Amino acid sequence: MCQCDNSEAVSGPCYPSSLTDEMWEIIQPLLPVRDLRKGGGVRTYGDRLVLDSVFYVLRSGCQWRMLPRDLMPWDAAHRWFTKWRRDGTWDRVHDELRRQVRIGAGRDPEPSAAVIDAQSIKTSEGGEARGFDAGQRTTGRKRHVIVDTMGLLLVVAVTSASVQDRAGGRAILARLAADFRTISLAWVDGGYANSVDSTLLSWARDALDIVVEIVKRTDDVKGFKVLPRRWVVERSFGWLVRNRRLARDYERLTATSEALIKVATIRLMLVRLAGQPSRWSHESHRKTAQANTVEDLIAV
């Protein structure tokens, strides 16, 4: 049985996606503090219940309208998620947690090198920025991400799947240079520069003072092979799609997609900082219940 001190929930135990007490202690100081001088009524739902509701949608992949009744109403949860996206709360919390994780691992707070890659993902019908990726034969969107050497997210941009890696690479490299002046080296795959168009490398060196290095795959190797540096960002994509809401892009706005990717990374970093394993199912609870049942039978 869960022992989390979450008295804000309406009823019942918390879910595998819910914050533990240790995780809540880490993130609580980073959340915005309400200015009572501006007035307003007493809040019905606290920040912890907001986070539990958002994490539930992210991990389970359900619609907002299908939030369980022992969490907060779906419209209130979506309203707070959108508010924190627009005022930059998710960005500030994400960046501070990344610094804490890097410091805890013995790294500098700000990275000096990065890895870039893109992932095409299918979308539901409708929504903005939806196109066809001829290379991957996927209709949907493309996630352009930059991670540090630990696989932690630095920059994310969601575009139509029809946007080429070279065009998307220019956009996120410009954002990387503006937000992280300490980075001077970035690794990419062969899709970002080839014999037809390799201007990305010279442009990044001259305009951004960032050396872009291509990690190529040897032609004589068949099948899957772990490539240096590139495996870091591929692992990050694997972390993201373990959240069912991110296994497919269901959002109508690309800004919402980018925010949910950061929320997924926020929870991952909270788990690391709290020193707890990720809970992806009720398997541990079932085993505990079965063991207790057997012990009870023996006692009888």
Side-chain angles (χ1 to χ4, degrees):
M1 182 64 70
C2 177
Q3 301 296 326
C4 294
D5 181 19
N6 191 2
S7 57
E8 298 174 353
V10 177
S11 63
C14 64
Y15 297 92
S17 59
S18 300
L19 290 170
T20 64
D21 293 338
E22 293 78 8
M23 295 163 65
W24 172 241
E25 290 179 0
I26 295 172
I27 196 173
Q28 183 181 18
L30 306 180
L31 298 175
V33 179
R34 181 182 180 186
D35 188 356
L36 299 178
R37 295 174 298 179
K38 295 182 179 180
V42 178
R43 283 185 57 179
T44 305
Y45 307 103
D47 290 339
R48 181 166 182 172
L49 193 57
V50 173
L51 291 170
D52 284 346
S53 301
V54 174
F55 288 153
Y56 184 91
V57 172
L58 175 70
R59 292 280 295 277
S60 67
C62 75
Q63 299 176 12
W64 286 98
R65 293 177 182 269
M66 297 181 67
L67 268 175
R69 295 182 180 273
D70 54 352
L71 294 173
M72 60 191 302
W74 74 269
D75 54 342
H78 186 269
R79 184 168 60 250
W80 277 101
F81 167 79
T82 304
K83 180 181 184 300
W84 286 353
R85 172 178 66 81
R86 291 174 176 171
D87 65 13
T89 296
W90 293 122
D91 295 336
R92 291 190 296 271
V93 172
H94 177 273
D95 293 344
E96 178 57 31
L97 289 178
R98 185 186 60 245
R99 296 186 190 97
Q100 293 184 20
V101 173
R102 289 184 58 86
I103 292 174
R107 306 290 187 92
D108 292 332
E110 301 299 331
S112 59
V115 190
I116 307 174
D117 204 354
Q119 177 192 52
S120 294
I121 198 82
K122 293 183 178 180
T123 63
S124 55
E125 296 81 1
E128 64 179 8
R130 185 170 181 263
F132 180 70
D133 184 350
Q136 299 294 330
R137 297 185 178 276
T138 300
T139 299
R141 292 178 180 151
K142 184 174 289 187
R143 297 166 178 167
H144 306 267
V145 302
I146 302 180
V147 301
D148 63 7
T149 54
M150 296 179 62
L152 302 178
L153 184 68
L154 300 177
V155 180
V156 58
V158 178
T159 67
S160 168
S162 59
V163 175
Q164 297 294 321
D165 290 352
R166 292 184 292 276
R170 283 177 177 262
I172 58 174
L173 274 171
R175 291 173 54 181
L176 179 72
D179 296 340
F180 300 91
R181 299 185 180 277
T182 57
I183 291 183
S184 58
L185 175 63
W187 291 282
V188 300
D189 62 23
Y192 289 86
N194 52 32
S195 58
V196 177
D197 183 5
S198 60
T199 57
L200 177 67
L201 307 185
S202 58
W203 172 81
R205 182 183 63 251
D206 299 336
L208 306 178
D209 199 23
I210 296 177
V211 176
V212 177
E213 182 176 323
I214 304 294
V215 180
K216 294 184 178 181
R217 174 189 174 93
T218 55
D219 297 333
D220 57 344
V221 176
K222 297 182 179 181
F224 174 78
K225 180 183 179 182
V226 177
L227 297 178
R229 303 298 180 183
R230 279 177 54 182
W231 68 269
V232 175
V233 67
E234 296 293 347
R235 181 185 59 179
S236 299
F237 283 132
W239 289 340
L240 293 177
V241 297
R242 292 191 71 180
N243 300 277
R244 289 190 176 184
R245 188 79 179 193
L246 298 179
R248 189 183 182 104
D249 196 328
Y250 296 98
E251 317 309 322
R252 297 193 64 84
L253 302 178
T254 56
T256 304
S257 300
E258 295 171 3
L260 281 173
I261 291 174
K262 291 185 178 181
V263 172
T265 312
I266 285 173
R267 194 181 187 285
L268 173 67
M269 293 187 291
L270 283 174
V271 170
R272 289 191 182 185
L273 291 171
Q276 298 175 345
S278 298
R279 296 183 297 169
W280 294 95
S281 69
H282 285 289
E283 181 179 1
S284 60
H285 299 291
R286 289 197 298 269
K287 290 182 178 180
T288 301
Q290 293 172 358
N292 292 336
T293 303
V294 172
E295 293 176 357
D296 294 341
L297 292 174
I298 295 175
V300 173

